[in-house]
């Protein structure tokens, strides 16, 4: 058995850039999670999907940060753990990104609402969490995740390069889903763009599409907008007397006929 090649040397600037990127990614994902937790009245379906994507990105950033900071020099149990967590989180992030694009397509183009979207959300959970979990467990059980000498990563552990089928497992644990995302995401957004262009709207409806998803599709926002419109319409109260009681009807004019002053049951004299 040939000895393993020496690890790829990482200069401090590369390591610093990766660590900074992990910190910024974790801060952004944490902020999205915090806003979702602080304002429960704004938890729409689209924002819930964004929450799950943020959780996957947060776990991915934390695992990468640990791997780069630890600077593994060889196989170890925490190397395998870090590689498994990053594999699961990164793969799940790709699935959730495609799920959000698919949800936008179905909501805007297909006008999917109600129970259909509820079933769709359950399908998103099964696929976006279940498929990465099965792949990661299989990779760990078959001992495919381990030390890669930073040859295909920047300091963290991923697929063990000593495995004969390591290229296949690189595809299954990330690269295949990454390439599919690069194909599906532009396709779905182009379909949404084509649907918008059919209305005569074109580029000017980009903000409108965001409004549909994050304003009109949010029940709390719709309620507040409706209440605001009602307040504006009823801003002028009816005229009242100084005492607060309605004014009495105005007296009749001298020229009015006797018939108009009589009761409805009175008949004119002949």
């Amino acid at each position: 058995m040939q000895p393993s090649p020496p690890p790829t040397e990482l200069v401090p600037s590369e390591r610093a850039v990766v660590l900074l990127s992990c910190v910024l990614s974790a801060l952004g994902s944490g902020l999205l999670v915090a806003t979702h937790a602080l304002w429960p009245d704004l938890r729409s379906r689209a924002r819930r999907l964004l929450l799950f994507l943020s959780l996957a990105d947060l776990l991915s950033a934390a695992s990468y940060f640990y791997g780069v900071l630890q600077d593994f020099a060889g196989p170890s149990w925490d190397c395998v753990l870090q590689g498994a967590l990053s594999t699961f989180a990164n793969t799940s992030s790709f699935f959730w990104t495609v799920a959000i694009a698919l949800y936008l397509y179905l909501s805007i183009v297909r006008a999917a609402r109600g129970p259909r979207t509820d079933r769709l959300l359950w399908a998103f959970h099964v696929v976006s969490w279940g498929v990465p979990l099965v792949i990661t467990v299989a990779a760990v059980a078959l001992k495919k995740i381990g030390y890669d000498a930073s040859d295909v990563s920047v300091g963290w552990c991923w697929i063990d390069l000593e495995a004969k089928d390591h290229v296949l497992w690189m595809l299954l644990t990330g690269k295949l889903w990454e390439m599919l995302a690069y194909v599906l995401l532009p396709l779905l957004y182009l379909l949404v763009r084509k649907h918008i262009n059919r209305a005569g709207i074109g580029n000017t409806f980009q903000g409108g599409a965001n409004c549909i998803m994050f304003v009109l599709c949010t029940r709390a926002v719709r309620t507040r907008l409706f209440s605001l419109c009602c307040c504006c319409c009823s801003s002028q109260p009816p005229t009242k007397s100084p005492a607060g009681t309605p004014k009495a009807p105005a007296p009749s004019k001298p020229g009015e006929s006797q018939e108009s002053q009589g009761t409805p049951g009175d008949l004119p004299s002949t």
Side-chain angles (χ1 to χ4, degrees):
M1 185 175 182
Q2 297 180 353
S4 301
T8 301
E9 184 179 358
L10 300 177
V11 298
S13 60
E14 291 178 336
R15 196 180 303 276
V17 169
V18 175
L19 290 175
L20 178 61
S21 177
C22 292
V23 171
L24 294 178
S25 179
L27 288 176
S29 301
L31 181 61
L32 289 171
V33 174
T35 55
H36 188 86
L38 289 175
W39 293 298
D41 55 338
L42 299 180
R43 296 174 185 173
S44 64
R45 288 187 177 94
R47 286 188 171 88
R48 285 203 298 270
L49 295 178
L50 186 61
L51 169 68
F52 302 132
L53 174 61
S54 301
L55 291 174
D57 290 338
L58 183 61
L59 180 59
S60 177
S63 61
Y64 286 145
F65 184 87
Y66 177 80
V68 178
L69 192 65
Q70 186 70 14
D71 190 15
F72 297 107
S76 61
W77 68 269
D78 55 344
C79 173
V80 176
L81 178 61
Q82 180 269 315
L85 289 178
S86 61
T87 297
F88 170 77
N90 203 34
T91 307
S92 180
S93 178
F94 289 132
F95 277 98
W96 280 115
T97 303
V98 175
I100 292 176
L102 182 60
Y103 180 79
L104 290 173
Y105 169 77
L106 293 176
S107 299
I108 296 176
V109 179
R110 299 298 181 182
R113 296 289 186 273
R116 290 181 58 188
T117 56
D118 293 334
R119 292 193 296 268
L120 186 64
L121 291 179
W122 280 107
F124 286 160
H125 280 287
V126 172
V127 174
S128 300
W129 296 125
V131 173
L133 181 62
V134 171
I135 293 174
T136 304
V137 170
V140 173
L142 297 175
K143 298 182 179 180
K144 303 299 181 179
I145 294 181
Y147 180 64
D148 62 2
S150 298
D151 288 341
V152 291
S153 64
V154 191
W156 58 81
C157 293
W158 187 28
I159 297 299
D160 188 0
L161 296 182
E162 297 296 328
K164 295 181 179 180
D165 52 352
H166 63 273
V167 176
L168 174 62
W169 282 99
M170 285 180 182
L171 291 174
L172 291 177
T173 56
K175 293 302 178 182
L176 175 62
W177 316 114
E178 184 178 354
M179 291 185 291
L180 288 177
Y182 290 154
V183 175
L184 291 177
L185 291 177
L187 177 61
L188 291 173
Y189 285 119
L190 283 176
L191 291 175
V192 173
R193 173 75 174 272
K194 183 179 179 180
H195 173 77
I196 292 173
N197 286 338
R198 287 178 181 175
I201 298 174
N203 295 337
T204 59
F205 197 68
Q206 293 176 359
N210 294 332
C211 178
I212 290 175
M213 292 308 304
F214 298 104
V215 176
L216 300 182
C217 291
T218 305
R219 183 180 302 174
V221 178
R222 290 199 307 266
T223 303
R224 294 177 185 180
L225 289 176
F226 181 75
S227 301
L228 180 62
C229 293
C230 292
C231 292
C232 293
C233 294
S234 60
S235 58
Q236 296 180 354
T239 306
K240 294 183 180 181
S241 62
T245 57
K247 289 185 177 180
S252 61
K253 295 182 180 179
E256 291 182 347
S257 62
Q258 294 295 329
E259 288 83 4
S260 63
Q261 295 180 3
T263 61
D266 295 332
L267 296 176
S269 59
T270 56

